[in-house]
Amino acid sequence: MNLTHPVQDTSPLTARELSSLWAHLQTPVALTEMVILLGCLGLAWLIVRLWRGRQGDVRSIWLGHHVIDGALFPVLSLVLALMAYRLFQGHLPMMLFQVALPVLMSLAVIRVTVKVLRVVFPESQKMRVLERTVSWLAWLATVLWVTGILPIMLTEMESVTWKVGGSVVNMRNLVEGVINAVLVLILALSLSSALEAQLLKGATDNLSLRKMAVNAMRSILLLVGLMLALSTAGSDLTALSVFGGAI
């Protein structure tokens, strides 16, 4: 990578580019990039702080008990970092952001997943295991992406194919479909949790009826989320064939 020209994308770094990044971090322009990145984090902290007020709700998925322990802080930091990257990429190399963006994305995925599972399944020990699994997989994917190994693995996975009904499915489609399904289901759980909090907030009468409505609403949202996830995995027939075969 030529440091005299701005980075045009956030593609994975090769071994040579990682060496260039290390040299770049020792230059004065890297300090400017660091200030921009810290500014994005600081602005995200300020927005969340003003939004949540003096005291947060430990049951809240997006705000959390403290400023940085909710899901909103890493998500907002990622959005602001992406905006800064696009804004300054014509003026600075922005090599630091090639590492920071995947890290922030992994942090956002981990925080959203953990907060949703803890709110929806507060007493489940299996969910704690799932939280740690998602965290390790997210950080592993980040390291593999930054080092350029993950794109090579994805290309190799495309060569592993098999026929399901009248469609040809490769391993990459299947893995991406599973990831999409998990993310969509997590978002569906997040939405159902927020609606549940609103329905049960301050409720003193018809509590059992409201809980029944919440359970029915959660089931519907999960079903819709699953169908959307299956459709994003590829063609509807392929996704449904794989799903049906798994059942």
Side-chain angles (χ1 to χ4, degrees), residues 3 10 17 20 26 35 38 60 63 69 86 100 114 123 141 153-154 159 164 176 198 204 209 238 245:
L3 295 181
T10 56
E17 289 171 342
S20 299
Q26 304 175 48
V35 170
L38 292 177
S60 174
L63 298 179
D69 67 339
R86 296 302 179 187
V114 169
E123 304 298 333
M153 294 176 58
L154 293 177
S159 62
V164 180
E176 290 179 347
Q198 291 297 321
T204 57
L209 184 61
T238 299

Coordinates of all heavy atoms in Angstrom, one line a residue, residues 3 10 17 20 26 35 38 60 63 69 86 100 114 123 141 153-154 159 164 176 198 204 209 238 245:
L3 N 1.6 4.8 1.0 CA 1.1 5.8 2.0 C 0.9 7.2 1.5 O 0.4 8.0 2.2 CB 2.1 5.8 3.2 CG 2.2 4.4 4.0 CD1 3.1 4.6 5.1 CD2 0.8 4.0 4.4
T10 N -11.7 -0.6 2.5 CA -11.3 -1.2 3.8 C -11.0 -2.7 3.6 O -11.4 -3.5 4.4 CB -12.4 -1.0 4.8 OG1 -13.6 -1.6 4.3 CG2 -12.6 0.4 5.2
E17 N 1.4 -4.8 4.0 CA 0.7 -3.7 4.4 C 0.7 -3.6 5.9 O 0.6 -2.5 6.5 CB -0.7 -3.7 3.9 CG -0.8 -3.5 2.4 CD -2.2 -3.8 1.8 OE1 -3.0 -4.5 2.5 OE2 -2.5 -3.3 0.7
S20 N 3.8 -2.0 6.7 CA 3.7 -0.5 6.4 C 2.8 0.2 7.5 O 3.1 1.4 7.8 CB 3.0 -0.4 5.0 OG 3.8 -0.9 4.0
Q26 N 4.2 5.2 13.4 CA 5.3 6.0 14.0 C 5.5 7.4 13.3 O 6.5 8.1 13.5 CB 6.6 5.2 13.9 CG 6.5 3.8 14.6 CD 7.8 3.0 14.4 OE1 8.9 3.4 14.6 NE2 7.6 1.7 14.0
V35 N -6.3 11.1 16.7 CA -7.2 12.1 17.3 C -8.6 12.0 16.7 O -9.6 12.2 17.4 CB -6.5 13.5 17.0 CG1 -7.5 14.6 17.4 CG2 -5.2 13.7 17.8
L38 N -10.3 8.9 18.3 CA -10.7 9.3 19.6 C -11.8 10.3 19.7 O -12.7 10.2 20.6 CB -9.5 9.8 20.4 CG -8.3 8.8 20.7 CD1 -7.2 9.5 21.4 CD2 -8.9 7.6 21.5
S60 N -31.8 -2.1 30.1 CA -31.8 -1.5 28.8 C -30.8 -2.2 27.9 O -29.6 -2.4 28.3 CB -31.6 0.0 28.8 OG -31.5 0.5 27.5
L63 N -28.8 1.3 26.1 CA -28.2 2.3 26.9 C -27.4 1.6 28.0 O -26.3 2.1 28.3 CB -29.2 3.3 27.5 CG -29.9 4.1 26.4 CD1 -31.0 5.0 27.1 CD2 -29.0 4.9 25.6
D69 N -21.5 0.4 28.5 CA -21.8 -1.0 28.6 C -23.1 -1.3 27.8 O -23.5 -2.5 27.8 CB -22.0 -1.4 30.0 CG -23.2 -0.8 30.7 OD1 -23.7 0.2 30.2 OD2 -23.6 -1.3 31.7
R86 N -14.9 8.1 5.5 CA -15.3 8.6 4.2 C -15.0 10.1 4.0 O -14.7 10.6 2.9 CB -16.8 8.4 4.0 CG -17.2 6.9 3.9 CD -16.4 6.2 2.8 NE -16.8 4.8 2.8 CZ -16.2 3.9 2.0 NH1 -15.2 4.3 1.2 NH2 -16.6 2.6 2.0
A100 N -9.2 -0.2 12.9 CA -10.2 0.2 13.9 C -11.6 -0.2 13.5 O -12.4 -0.6 14.3 CB -10.1 1.7 14.1
V114 N -24.7 -9.9 23.3 CA -24.7 -10.2 24.7 C -25.8 -9.5 25.4 O -26.5 -10.1 26.3 CB -23.3 -9.7 25.3 CG1 -23.4 -9.7 26.8 CG2 -22.2 -10.6 24.8
E123 N -31.5 -15.8 33.2 CA -31.1 -16.8 34.1 C -30.5 -18.0 33.4 O -30.1 -19.0 34.1 CB -32.2 -17.3 35.0 CG -32.9 -16.1 35.8 CD -31.9 -15.5 36.7 OE1 -31.0 -16.1 37.2 OE2 -32.1 -14.3 37.0
A141 N -12.8 -13.7 13.7 CA -13.1 -13.2 12.4 C -12.4 -11.9 12.1 O -11.9 -11.6 11.0 CB -14.6 -13.1 12.2
M153 N -10.0 -17.9 2.9 CA -10.9 -19.0 3.4 C -12.2 -18.9 2.7 O -12.8 -20.0 2.3 CB -11.0 -18.9 4.9 CG -9.8 -19.1 5.7 SD -10.0 -18.9 7.5 CE -11.3 -20.1 7.8
L154 N -12.8 -17.7 2.6 CA -14.1 -17.6 1.9 C -14.1 -18.1 0.5 O -15.0 -18.7 -0.1 CB -14.6 -16.2 2.0 CG -14.9 -15.6 3.4 CD1 -15.3 -14.2 3.3 CD2 -16.1 -16.5 4.0
S159 N -15.6 -23.1 -3.3 CA -15.3 -24.3 -4.2 C -15.9 -25.6 -3.6 O -15.9 -26.6 -4.3 CB -13.8 -24.4 -4.3 OG -13.2 -24.7 -3.1
V164 N -28.6 -29.6 -3.7 CA -29.8 -29.8 -2.9 C -31.0 -29.5 -3.7 O -31.3 -28.4 -4.1 CB -29.7 -28.8 -1.7 CG1 -31.0 -29.0 -0.8 CG2 -28.5 -29.0 -0.9
E176 N -22.8 -18.1 5.5 CA -23.3 -16.7 5.5 C -24.8 -16.7 5.9 O -25.3 -15.8 6.5 CB -23.1 -16.0 4.2 CG -21.6 -15.7 3.9 CD -21.4 -15.1 2.5 OE1 -22.4 -15.1 1.7 OE2 -20.3 -14.5 2.3
Q198 N -42.2 -2.1 27.1 CA -43.3 -1.0 27.0 C -44.6 -1.6 27.4 O -45.4 -0.9 28.1 CB -43.3 -0.5 25.6 CG -42.1 0.3 25.2 CD -41.9 1.6 26.0 OE1 -42.9 2.2 26.4 NE2 -40.7 1.9 26.3
T204 N -50.4 -3.1 36.2 CA -50.9 -3.6 37.5 C -52.2 -4.5 37.3 O -52.5 -5.3 38.2 CB -51.3 -2.5 38.4 OG1 -52.3 -1.6 37.8 CG2 -50.1 -1.7 38.8
L209 N -52.6 -11.5 30.9 CA -53.0 -11.3 29.5 C -51.9 -10.6 28.7 O -51.7 -10.9 27.6 CB -54.3 -10.6 29.5 CG -55.0 -10.3 28.1 CD1 -55.3 -11.7 27.5 CD2 -56.2 -9.5 28.2
T238 N -33.5 -22.3 -2.4 CA -32.3 -22.9 -1.9 C -32.3 -22.8 -0.3 O -32.0 -23.8 0.3 CB -31.1 -22.1 -2.4 OG1 -31.0 -22.2 -3.8 CG2 -29.8 -22.7 -1.8
G245 N -34.1 -29.7 4.8 CA -33.2 -30.9 4.9 C -32.7 -31.0 6.3 O -32.5 -32.1 6.8

